[in-house]
Amino acid sequence: MADALAQGSSKATARKLAENIERIETLGKRLMSALSTRPMPNPGIEAPGPDLLMTAANAWMKTLSEQPARVLETQVNYWGDTLKNYANVQMAVARGQAAADHDDASLDKRFSNPLWQSHPYFNFVKRQYLINAKALKDATQNLQLPDDTARRRIDWLTSQIVDMMAPTNFLATNPDALERAIQTEGESLVKGLENLVRDVERNGGDIVVSLADRDAFTVGENIGTSDGVVVHRTPLYELIQYKPATEQVHEVPLLVFPPWINKFYILDLKPQNSLVKWLVEQGHTLFIVSWRNPDASFADVGMEDYVSAYLDAMDRVRDLTAQPRLNVVGYCIAGTTLSLTLALLKQRGDDRVNSATLFTTLTDFSDQGEFVSFLQDDFVNGIADEVERHGLLRAKLMSRTMSFLRPNDLVWGPAIRSYMMGEMPPAFDLLYWNGDSTNLPGKMAMQYLRGLCQRNAFAAEGFDLMGHKLHISDVTVPLCAVTCESDHIAPWKDSWTGVAQMGSKDKTFILSESGHIAGIVNPPSKKKYGHYMGGSDFTHGHQSWKESSSFAKGSWWPRWGEWLAERAGRMVPARDPGQGLYPAPGNYVHERAA
């Protein structure tokens, strides 16, 4: 092999190529073996159901029969643009350089390599991709669809196809990958195959690209390191109490419920951006819940079990601090469940909660936003089948769903860097946390999807739980809601809509710049994202509220800190949690989803 490859190249290069071919053969066998372990796919979660495809086909036939000129015009424009692009590349080849672009592709980081502009071949490929993408989007925009849900689903599916077919996703049309392969004498492609095999082996036969280096971080050692102890443990959660950083603390303790879709240490990544550390430094006796990562034995755990866990954690905090009341925080789905818990306490006449804060929380699901494609019956029925098979909504499916809301950033871009460029995933704490996903108990997942998301029961006829019919208007405690302007998971306008319906007379709403995570993990020291606050109009829609608010530069943490301090009572001697059961961050946080 080496002798054959040596012709036209050095012996060292030939030997290296031969070695790489042997590595590729070995990796190929491992890849086939790993792919063979993939379980039988579930069609319900792999593609849209036949109803959507039939809707699209009927809409196309209707448009063609009623507006044939419009359809023909779209087709003729596509042909014309394609022929013009071909003629341009012919002239560019003759000149030896492509003509200057006048499109928006220069703003697209996928096309940042200068060859997309200067090289006739790559310039032609890029322009044709943009022509194809425009033609697809124009064709779907012309469809006469029955309702807004169908429109949003078709638009989403079209965008997915457009992003998937980008020339950067293919080796032969990716100049960065080709340049790297030449520079490394093919080593980058071999390393890329190694990365692919690693990901497939790790994920039971599924191709799930690693977003971060899993070996770069250890929870409790270089992330999630705030000083505390586990003071209570149940089969569903551990309760962590953090050691005080001040000689005196506020009388009213603070209990944080993080989401159980991911792990709690998003609030304690590093000392520089740790909300846990900051709250302790503000003089709060801080408790946080670390949820269990469920396995199949948790299949019958439902929303009622999580609400019961909220009540149990509150009781434990009250016992440990000898305080009858406490302040509470809920983040994302934990904020939704906290709202249910507050409604339950109201109906029971229990006033243990002094104030509540909701981070990026949805309680009114009348507008399903970017999740509309995943909340229709075809996909939810597919999830129900998954739950029936595994007892869980598995972390891999949840992670994949979230990733395809931002496919270029969380799917195709990382795959290109890992599999084509041969790069190792970055040592980035936020992406490490993002990849440390959790399973959801089957019963709880279906209650959430069917009852809260699809039927919008909490904001409509009432959500049945624990013998009560809970309504959003039952939330009457002093309330602060923090949302994020570019949040695609819990859009701020929808969070606002829920808060506006709550019965609290004391309501504060904060709108932070940035997204679902960066807008919350926004320490004052960074001075990065500003926020809106002070609006008091909760009767004329979210835009009127924003217009009545004021904008301030920098983090919202200090403003919320002032709000919280006003409701946290007098100062008392600091409370030392002692030895507890074992040190923070506890044991449950280390359990990874299978």
Side-chain angles (χ1 to χ4, degrees):
M1 177 69 72
D3 291 340
L5 292 168
Q7 299 188 11
S9 61
S10 69
K11 289 185 178 180
T13 299
R15 189 176 300 108
K16 183 65 175 176
L17 288 171
E19 291 173 357
N20 282 339
I21 289 174
E22 290 180 5
R23 289 165 64 191
I24 289 172
E25 289 176 352
T26 301
L27 288 167
K29 292 177 182 177
R30 283 176 55 192
L31 179 60
M32 295 307 296
S33 176
L35 289 171
S36 69
T37 65
R38 186 175 189 259
M40 288 293 292
N42 176 357
I45 59 172
E46 298 294 335
D51 289 351
L52 180 64
L53 301 180
M54 185 61 69
T55 297
N58 290 338
W60 169 253
M61 294 302 298
K62 179 179 175 63
T63 304
L64 182 61
S65 62
E66 296 181 358
Q67 303 182 50
R70 189 175 184 182
V71 174
L72 185 60
E73 180 185 12
T74 301
Q75 190 66 51
V76 168
N77 288 338
Y78 171 68
W79 290 340
D81 289 340
T82 297
L83 290 172
K84 182 179 177 181
N85 187 36
Y86 182 74
N88 287 338
V89 77
Q90 292 282 63
M91 290 187 289
V93 169
R95 288 194 307 265
Q97 187 174 12
D101 278 338
H102 299 287
D103 53 50
D104 294 332
S106 58
L107 305 177
D108 189 330
K109 61 184 179 182
R110 293 177 298 177
F111 301 115
S112 59
N113 190 306
L115 289 174
W116 290 113
Q117 174 74 16
S118 62
H119 195 286
Y121 167 72
F122 290 111
N123 187 260
F124 169 76
V125 168
K126 180 194 72 174
R127 290 188 185 212
Q128 191 59 47
Y129 166 71
L130 296 175
I131 291 169
N132 294 345
K134 182 178 183 301
L136 278 172
K137 291 180 179 180
D138 287 347
T140 55
Q141 285 300 313
N142 289 339
L143 295 179
Q144 300 180 48
L145 295 165
D147 52 41
D148 183 61
T149 296
R151 162 62 55 202
R152 291 164 76 171
R153 296 192 77 191
I154 291 291
D155 288 347
W156 178 85
L157 184 58
T158 302
S159 295
Q160 294 296 318
I161 294 171
V162 167
D163 290 338
M164 179 178 65
M165 297 308 296
T168 46
N169 295 341
F170 303 90
L171 177 62
T173 51
N174 186 319
D176 294 300
L178 291 171
E179 286 179 330
R180 178 69 61 84
I182 292 171
Q183 291 166 359
T184 63
E185 298 179 345
E187 182 67 18
S188 60
L189 298 179
V190 179
K191 287 185 176 179
L193 183 57
E194 288 177 345
N195 292 341
L196 174 61
V197 172
R198 175 204 64 213
D199 287 344
V200 174
E201 288 178 340
R202 241 178 214 174
N203 291 284
D206 286 321
I207 302 176
V208 181
V209 62
S210 295
L211 297 179
D213 183 356
R214 290 177 73 172
D215 298 324
F217 300 99
T218 301
V219 181
E221 293 184 11
N222 54 1
I223 51 174
T225 59
S226 289
D227 196 5
V229 296
V230 174
V231 292
H232 181 55
R233 171 185 169 122
T234 75
L236 191 55
Y237 75 92
E238 292 174 331
L239 180 65
I240 298 170
Q241 180 178 355
Y242 289 95
K243 294 188 176 180
T246 56
E247 292 185 0
Q248 289 196 317
V249 296
H250 290 282
E251 183 178 31
V252 180
L254 179 63
L255 172 59
V256 177
F257 295 102
W260 51 90
I261 291 177
N262 288 95
K263 295 184 178 174
F264 82 90
Y265 63 87
I266 184 59
L267 301 176
D268 188 34
L269 287 174
K270 295 177 294 191
Q272 301 94 308
N273 62 2
S274 170
L275 183 60
V276 166
K277 181 175 183 292
W278 186 84
L279 284 169
V280 171
E281 290 174 347
Q282 305 311 302
H284 293 283
T285 302
L286 179 64
F287 296 82
I288 197 165
V289 166
S290 174
W291 298 104
R292 184 79 177 268
N293 197 343
D295 57 25
S297 67
F298 285 71
D300 293 327
V301 170
M303 291 294 292
E304 60 273 20
D305 297 289
Y306 279 91
V307 170
S308 296
Y310 276 52
L311 299 175
D312 181 63
M314 291 179 190
D315 285 338
R316 178 57 60 174
V317 169
R318 294 195 298 164
D319 290 342
L320 290 169
T321 60
Q323 289 295 314
R325 310 190 76 202
L326 72 168
N327 294 321
V328 291
V329 178
Y331 190 173
C332 190
I333 189 176
T336 306
T337 309
L338 176 58
S339 300
L340 295 173
T341 306
L342 295 173
L344 177 67
L345 290 172
K346 172 68 175 180
Q347 292 192 16
R348 288 180 173 180
D350 189 326
D351 66 350
R352 69 179 67 187
V353 174
N354 186 59
S355 77
T357 300
L358 305 176
F359 292 166
T360 63
T361 292
L362 292 176
T363 49
D364 183 329
F365 294 85
S366 54
D367 186 342
Q368 296 171 347
E370 294 192 40
F371 284 94
V372 68
S373 295
F374 300 109
L375 291 176
Q376 304 313 304
D377 280 338
D378 53 358
F379 192 76
V380 175
N381 289 341
I383 292 176
D385 291 340
E386 281 287 293
V387 166
E388 184 69 24
R389 290 167 63 185
H390 304 286
L392 301 164
L393 176 49
R394 294 181 297 167
K396 283 191 292 188
L397 177 56
M398 278 293 300
S399 179
R400 187 184 73 176
T401 302
M402 297 294 186
S403 293
F404 275 98
L405 294 176
R406 292 292 182 269
N408 288 326
D409 293 330
L410 297 175
V411 180
W412 307 120
I416 290 166
R417 291 189 293 272
S418 185
Y419 305 151
M420 287 192 201
M421 308 292 286
E423 298 175 2
M424 286 296 295
F428 185 15
D429 55 357
L430 181 56
L431 289 179
Y432 174 87
W433 167 85
N434 188 69
D436 192 9
S437 300
T438 56
N439 301 314
L440 298 184
K443 181 181 178 181
M444 172 264 142
M446 297 314 300
Q447 287 174 306
Y448 183 79
L449 292 172
R450 299 283 196 203
L452 291 170
C453 297
Q454 286 193 308
R455 293 202 304 271
N456 194 27
F458 189 44
E461 75 273 11
F463 187 75
D464 292 315
L465 195 72
M466 301 171 73
H468 292 260
K469 188 176 285 290
L470 307 176
H471 294 87
I472 196 170
S473 59
D474 292 325
V475 179
T476 58
V477 301
L479 184 69
C480 180
V482 184
T483 59
C484 302
E485 197 168 20
S486 57
D487 191 338
H488 64 286
I489 295 174
W492 82 267
K493 66 181 182 64
D494 300 315
S495 294
W496 185 94
T497 300
V499 171
Q501 296 174 68
M502 292 179 178
S504 305
K505 295 181 179 179
D506 178 3
K507 282 191 284 197
T508 297
F509 195 85
I510 300 174
L511 175 60
S512 173
E513 291 182 315
S514 194
H516 192 71
I517 300 301
I520 297 298
V521 184
N522 180 26
S525 59
K526 289 202 170 183
K527 301 179 181 179
K528 194 169 184 180
Y529 302 118
H531 62 279
Y532 297 86
M533 186 176 173
S536 57
D537 185 357
F538 285 93
T539 58
H540 296 93
H542 66 278
Q543 197 58 44
S544 293
W545 173 87
K546 188 176 181 182
E547 291 171 359
S548 70
S549 66
S550 59
F551 179 78
K553 294 182 179 179
S555 173
W556 55 269
W557 290 12
R559 301 282 292 275
W560 175 58
E562 293 172 5
W563 182 92
L564 194 60
E566 292 172 1
R567 294 157 181 80
R570 63 190 179 91
M571 304 304 289
V572 298
R575 304 177 177 107
D576 192 316
Q579 297 299 310
L581 301 178
Y582 34 83
N587 293 336
Y588 286 164
V589 73
H590 296 294
E591 297 177 353
R592 297 191 72 97

